[in-house]
Amino acid sequence: YLASQGHKEVSIYQVGDFTDLCAGPHVERSSECAHFKLLSVAGAFWRGDPKNPQLQRLYGTVWPTQEKLEEFLEIRERAKKNDHRKLGVELELLHFEPSLAPGIPFWLPKGTILYHILAEKMRKLLYSNGYVEVKTPQLFRKELWETSGHWKHFKENMFNLEQEDGEILSLKPMNCPSHMVLFKSRRRSYRELPLRIHDQGVLFRNEPSGTLGGLTRVRQFSQDDAHIFVAEDLMEEEISNLLALVKRVYQGFNMKLHIELSTKPQKAMGAAELWEKAESSLTKALEKSAMEFKVSPGEGAFYGPKIDFMVEDSLKRKHQCATVQLDFQLPRNFELYFTNAQNRPEIPVVIHRAIYGSFERFIGVLIEHFGGHFPLWLAPVQCRVIPVSKKFNDYGQKVVDLLLKEGLRGEGDFSNERCGAKIRNAELQKIPYMVIVGGREKESNTVSLRSYEKGEEGVLSLDQFMERIKKESSFEF
Ligand SMILES: [Zn+2]
């Protein structure tokens, strides 16, 4: 069982005559725990059987210093409050209906906007870096998955639909095979490589129902996926460019990256020479990028070495998002080749790469990282206009129209609530800017600006305000 969970060692701790199969560490006596806090108490039956006597379990945490303990508790509290399953619903981004669509979220209007902004920013970045985008079929006949190897290794995770005539069509769990088909659809020359194919297509994976929860594990998702077909000679340069892209994107979110290079495992396919070349390309590119990285020997996939990027959020948790994987196998399964400069057929290397990873998971991470207070360029609503009474709704609407006309995301609160309540509601929604309008503002064509971060910011002319919010919202990776 432990081996199936990825554990390579088993540890046993003993204190007095008490022996415990445990990851440890153990201490001899509680007085060794100076800075601690009890977190919860729970009853449990010995071996989970209610006929057995009940045990009391005390859960606690202990730290080397009081500060470390307090920091842990503060982050723990914040993590609970920022949990995307709770916050995503409160901020009207998401809706879950597990009895009807287990493991698949509904994206509400604000969540959909957030999704599209991320998708568009990524498109723009990739287009300007020589990528092309495609859309590929959602359903494929079984033959494709047999060629790719998914039928053998991944069938249980796929949704396979049997037709009346017995034919099986499967919803795609990955884009890779269809990009191989595209590469093969005509003759390819070295002149068009590296060929970088981007695809944000919808993917389906049949995750076991016990593992589903929020956006972390879902059955339907899309990725900022791409496959790069490259000649062996150009691998290093391509990987260098990729590293720069990943770095650029995560700087944009103010997130730290932890990088891991996984090398040739025991069971590997492909010539030793090719592995050496690929690993040295990855290593050289990492060294050149001056990014710190750790090597995990033998942890690569059987079809090629890879770089995993763990993203550290504001709660100091690490999430696996970006990945760069070299693949020597798939181009062989599909018998891909291009004509090289010597006019000979050559097999390309395929790089599977994603920067956000899945949009769903990444948005879950972002909600928690920002605690729902998104930067202006990403906020689903950038500005809420609040008339002090319904007498000024017409002027309020004028300001909203102006924002919309400029392509900004504004909305008005024309409810009958008092002004203070409207401000509080906007703050609960973590909207970056509020503008309050009444008689004085209407007469002088101005707004009273309030920001989520700084509170009251004073009166600005409409022009000044528009210019400021436009300038502050502009963002590219
Ligand atoms: Zn892939």
Side-chain angles (χ1 to χ4, degrees):
Y1 171 76
L2 288 170
S4 77
Q5 299 298 302
H7 297 281
K8 288 185 182 140
E9 273 177 25
V10 172
S11 56
I12 292 174
Y13 282 81
Q14 195 165 21
V15 177
D17 52 9
F18 171 62
T19 308
D20 193 16
L21 181 68
C22 177
H26 275 206
V27 291
E28 296 230 344
R29 46 186 64 83
S30 55
S31 64
E32 288 176 43
C33 305
H35 309 285
F36 74 94
K37 187 168 164 67
L38 290 183
L39 299 173
S40 68
V41 181
F45 292 105
W46 174 243
R47 295 203 157 146
D49 186 345
K51 281 188 230 121
N52 285 333
Q54 205 179 17
L55 309 166
Q56 283 294 321
R57 278 211 179 109
L58 308 182
Y59 294 87
T61 183
V62 58
W63 293 82
T65 65
Q66 187 64 23
E67 283 108 74
K68 286 246 162 75
L69 172 65
E70 275 163 24
E71 190 191 341
F72 167 80
L73 292 172
E74 191 263 328
I75 286 181
R76 185 172 178 265
E77 211 37 55
R78 204 143 44 93
K80 241 193 264 169
K81 229 171 59 195
N82 289 0
D83 185 328
H84 73 269
R85 287 168 296 185
K86 180 168 162 281
L87 196 53
V89 171
E90 282 166 12
L91 296 177
E92 297 168 12
L93 302 170
L94 296 166
H95 175 68
F96 294 100
E97 203 71 62
S99 62
L100 298 173
I104 309 180
F106 287 68
W107 291 95
L108 297 177
K110 286 177 191 169
T112 304
I113 286 178
L114 194 65
Y115 206 119
H116 284 324
I117 295 168
L118 289 168
E120 279 313 308
K121 295 286 179 200
M122 183 53 72
R123 271 197 180 100
K124 220 170 155 190
L125 178 70
L126 295 183
Y127 286 10
S128 66
N129 279 277
Y131 285 70
V132 293
E133 188 176 6
V134 298
K135 285 181 184 289
T136 50
Q138 211 63 59
L139 284 167
F140 278 103
R141 295 180 61 196
K142 188 175 130 194
E143 281 78 351
L144 179 81
W145 310 112
E146 282 170 344
T147 308
S148 68
H150 286 92
W151 196 254
K152 196 167 163 204
H153 299 291
F154 206 69
K155 194 172 93 188
E156 269 63 55
N157 292 83
M158 289 162 59
F159 288 100
N160 304 308
L161 316 172
E162 196 173 339
Q163 307 304 294
E164 263 176 45
D165 59 4
E167 184 182 26
I168 293 176
L169 292 169
S170 306
L171 285 164
K172 65 174 167 185
M174 293 177 195
N175 294 309
C176 341
S178 53
H179 295 179
M180 303 302 130
V181 172
L182 277 183
F183 185 90
K184 207 181 173 176
S185 64
R186 64 173 171 80
R187 282 178 64 98
R188 301 284 175 181
S189 146
Y190 70 95
R191 286 190 201 85
E192 49 185 321
L193 303 195
L195 177 64
R196 308 177 185 92
I197 302 183
H198 176 50
D199 194 334
Q200 298 189 357
V202 180
L203 307 174
F204 291 88
R205 287 187 198 169
N206 195 0
E207 303 281 358
S209 56
T211 64
L212 303 173
L215 297 174
T216 315
R217 265 269 171 128
V218 289
R219 283 176 166 159
Q220 179 191 314
F221 61 100
S222 5
Q223 297 174 321
D224 62 331
D225 199 9
H227 295 95
I228 302 173
F229 299 83
V230 63
E232 281 173 35
D233 292 347
L234 291 176
M235 271 189 304
E236 188 187 326
E237 194 188 325
E238 193 57 27
I239 291 157
S240 281
N241 296 340
L242 255 175
L243 292 178
L245 277 190
V246 175
K247 196 169 162 185
R248 205 157 128 192
V249 167
Y250 284 97
Q251 267 167 358
F253 294 108
N254 213 356
M255 287 168 133
K256 224 161 92 184
L257 285 173
H258 300 267
I259 303 173
E260 219 173 282
L261 168 63
S262 302
T263 59
K264 189 177 177 183
Q266 290 249 312
K267 263 197 204 160
M269 69 78 51
E273 208 182 310
L274 184 53
W275 272 91
E276 260 162 51
K277 198 165 179 179
E279 286 177 5
S280 101
S281 301
L282 289 171
T283 310
K284 276 193 211 146
L286 279 166
E287 280 166 359
K288 221 169 64 194
S289 75
M291 292 157 98
E292 264 182 55
F293 67 100
K294 194 176 105 186
V295 180
S296 301
E299 293 293 311
F302 75 91
Y303 50 77
K306 59 174 182 162
I307 303 176
D308 287 320
F309 300 81
M310 305 295 284
V311 174
E312 186 180 316
D313 69 11
S314 67
L315 299 159
K316 296 191 188 266
R317 293 169 311 183
K318 289 179 192 153
H319 310 271
Q320 204 204 316
C321 294
T323 171
V324 172
Q325 293 194 17
L326 266 51
D327 189 340
F328 315 135
Q329 172 83 55
L330 218 44
R332 282 168 176 80
N333 289 357
F334 280 89
E335 298 170 336
L336 305 185
Y337 70 90
F338 63 95
T339 310
N340 68 16
Q342 288 75 44
N343 213 13
R344 288 207 193 90
E346 186 178 323
I347 302 176
V349 171
V350 165
I351 305 174
H352 306 254
R353 44 107 293 165
I355 300 182
Y356 297 148
S358 105
F359 280 95
E360 279 71 8
R361 232 171 77 82
F362 188 58
I363 291 174
V365 170
L366 285 184
I367 292 173
E368 301 187 5
H369 172 63
F370 289 119
H373 175 44
F374 298 105
L376 194 62
W377 67 269
L378 190 56
V381 179
Q382 295 172 309
C383 176
R384 187 175 279 179
V385 179
I386 300 176
V388 296
S389 79
K390 69 175 182 220
K391 253 175 39 199
F392 308 105
N393 281 0
D394 57 340
Y395 182 60
Q397 187 61 51
K398 186 183 146 187
V399 179
V400 172
D401 291 343
L402 206 58
L403 285 163
L404 297 179
K405 216 179 97 197
E406 291 292 341
L408 295 159
R409 299 182 293 277
E411 63 180 25
D413 182 347
F414 303 121
S415 68
N416 289 327
E417 301 241 38
R418 293 220 316 278
C419 189
K422 288 185 188 179
I423 291 174
R424 227 177 2 264
N425 288 340
E427 277 170 349
L428 283 174
Q429 287 288 303
K430 309 194 188 226
I431 297 171
Y433 280 126
M434 288 153 265
V435 301
I436 293 128
V437 295
R440 191 181 55 170
E441 286 80 10
K442 184 179 174 179
E443 238 162 67
S444 57
N445 238 3
T446 57
V447 293
S448 287
L449 185 65
R450 231 187 125 84
S451 69
Y452 181 82
E453 257 168 24
K454 296 185 193 148
E456 270 182 61
E457 294 210 31
V459 176
L460 273 76
S461 79
L462 253 184
D463 288 347
Q464 276 172 328
F465 167 63
M466 291 304 297
E467 202 171 304
R468 172 165 161 186
I469 188 167
K470 259 197 296 194
K471 198 167 146 219
E472 290 177 6
S473 330
S474 72
F475 173 90
E476 300 303 335
F477 286 124

